[in-house]
Amino acid sequence: MIRERLRERWQVWAQLMRLDKPVGIYLLLWPTLWALWFAAGGLPPLALLAIFIAGTVLMRSAGCVINDLADRKFDGHVERTRQRPLASGRATPKEALILFVVLGLISLAVAAPLNAAALWLTVPAIVLAASYPFAKRFHSLPQAHLGIAFSWGIPMASAAVSGTVDWPMSALLMAANLCWVMAYDTLYAMVDRDDDLRVGVKSSAILFGRFDRLIVGLLQAAALLLLAFAGWRIALGWPYYAGLLLAAIFAAHQLWQVRHRERAACFSAFIGNNRIGALVFLGLAVSLPPF
């Protein structure tokens, strides 16, 4: 009986952490891996790699929990989110808050072996993750808030590798990732635009209106150009630029995919950004081999 109860609760907690939908983990992980490879000039120490992978999973999970806790009164009115554990009543707010605190404490324990420079950067990372869900209530670009939160692993990776942040390169990678996140999260927001207008929350999809595809395309182009400049700064080889070219093709396909702004197409285009992140990383890893 106890085992069955625990199994049932674990299934609810896993859904609350969105472990059944891992694309968010990948979208957070790819720019962190870019930063580790740039900072290390190739394969980083395996211990650091393990810490950042585990930290990515934990922080994304914590972010999903606090997001659902903040949005529990809205999610029931949105088609895509009405079956989430809190919105459907399968989890309680107290349960979600305890889970968020536990995930945060485990994240800090995982990060403990990092050097002091990287550890100090965990403080704004937690603040950004906890505050993002409330951004949509106050301004029309919560996607930019998410972009900063999803970029914070970049200076952390730089500090973890070298003991200090290489701010020129970190700022360049953060700017690229900010543009990319705003692009793909606008595609995500396009799925919910009608529901968001009805319940009164803000998003870039609402702000951009009929110019949404144009602005997403410009953001995608800016992200890839900034990544190309980052590669040029350290004289990366042709495989890196081949990866960027393939990523650009996928980005262009996404713009065609959402031409009618159908919900399913917009969601599929959002999911497809995992391939863009993977292609950039693959080109980078081949250009900076571990030897």
Side-chain angles (χ1 to χ4, degrees):
M1 182 68 71
I2 295 176
R3 183 178 299 177
E4 290 178 2
R5 176 63 175 169
L6 286 174
R7 185 182 298 115
E8 176 196 344
R9 295 323 296 159
W10 166 249
Q11 290 175 350
V12 172
W13 297 337
Q15 290 177 10
L16 195 53
M17 293 184 283
R18 226 93 85 233
L19 296 180
D20 56 328
K21 298 175 180 177
V23 65
I25 295 173
Y26 304 141
L27 293 175
L28 179 56
L29 181 61
W30 291 127
T32 305
L33 294 181
W34 304 343
L36 283 170
W37 255 256
F38 268 101
L43 180 68
L46 294 181
L48 277 184
L49 185 59
I51 288 171
F52 275 89
I53 291 174
T56 295
V57 175
L58 289 164
M59 287 305 298
R60 188 264 183 169
S61 298
C64 289
V65 172
I66 197 66
N67 182 78
D68 284 10
L69 185 60
D71 288 352
R72 65 189 184 279
K73 294 182 180 178
F74 294 116
D75 283 347
H77 302 284
V78 177
E79 180 179 342
R80 183 179 54 82
T81 59
R82 62 183 53 173
Q83 293 304 316
R84 286 179 176 175
L86 283 166
S88 63
R90 289 179 294 122
T92 66
K94 180 180 178 181
E95 193 175 18
L97 184 59
I98 291 172
L99 182 58
F100 173 73
V101 171
V102 169
L103 288 168
L105 291 174
I106 296 173
S107 298
L108 289 174
V110 167
L114 297 176
N115 58 45
L119 281 175
W120 276 112
L121 288 169
T122 63
V123 176
I126 293 171
V127 172
L128 286 165
S131 61
Y132 160 68
F134 303 96
K136 68 185 73 173
R137 292 158 174 78
F138 301 106
H139 63 83
S140 296
L141 281 177
Q143 284 66 34
H145 196 123
L146 181 68
I148 297 170
F150 267 37
S151 299
W152 206 255
I154 292 170
M156 283 186 64
S158 177
V161 170
S162 62
T164 185
V165 180
D166 177 0
W167 279 114
M169 180 59 82
S170 293
L172 187 54
L173 293 175
M174 290 176 76
N177 192 54
L178 174 61
C179 291
W180 183 43
V181 174
M182 288 183 64
Y184 69 63
D185 206 46
T186 297
L187 293 172
Y188 193 47
M190 287 166 66
V191 178
D192 298 333
R193 178 158 43 196
D194 293 340
D195 293 325
D196 288 344
L197 283 166
R198 189 176 68 255
V199 300
V201 297
K202 300 174 172 59
S203 77
S204 57
I206 294 171
L207 177 66
F208 297 158
R210 64 191 180 91
F211 299 107
D212 48 7
R213 291 175 64 240
L214 172 63
I215 296 175
V216 166
L218 292 173
L219 287 167
Q220 289 171 329
L224 292 168
L225 287 171
L226 287 166
L227 286 170
F229 183 52
W232 174 81
R233 287 186 78 241
I234 62 169
L236 289 178
W238 67 265
Y240 178 69
Y241 299 99
L244 293 182
L245 177 59
L246 289 172
I249 293 171
F250 273 97
H253 173 71
Q254 288 172 7
L255 294 176
W256 178 84
Q257 198 175 1
V258 302
R259 65 196 183 281
H260 300 305
R261 297 175 175 83
E262 297 168 344
R263 286 180 187 253
C266 292
F267 187 74
S268 177
F270 161 72
I271 295 290
N273 277 273
N274 178 43
R275 296 179 189 141
I276 290 178
L279 285 167
V280 174
F281 174 70
L282 182 61
L284 176 61
V286 173
S287 296
L288 292 172
F291 48 80

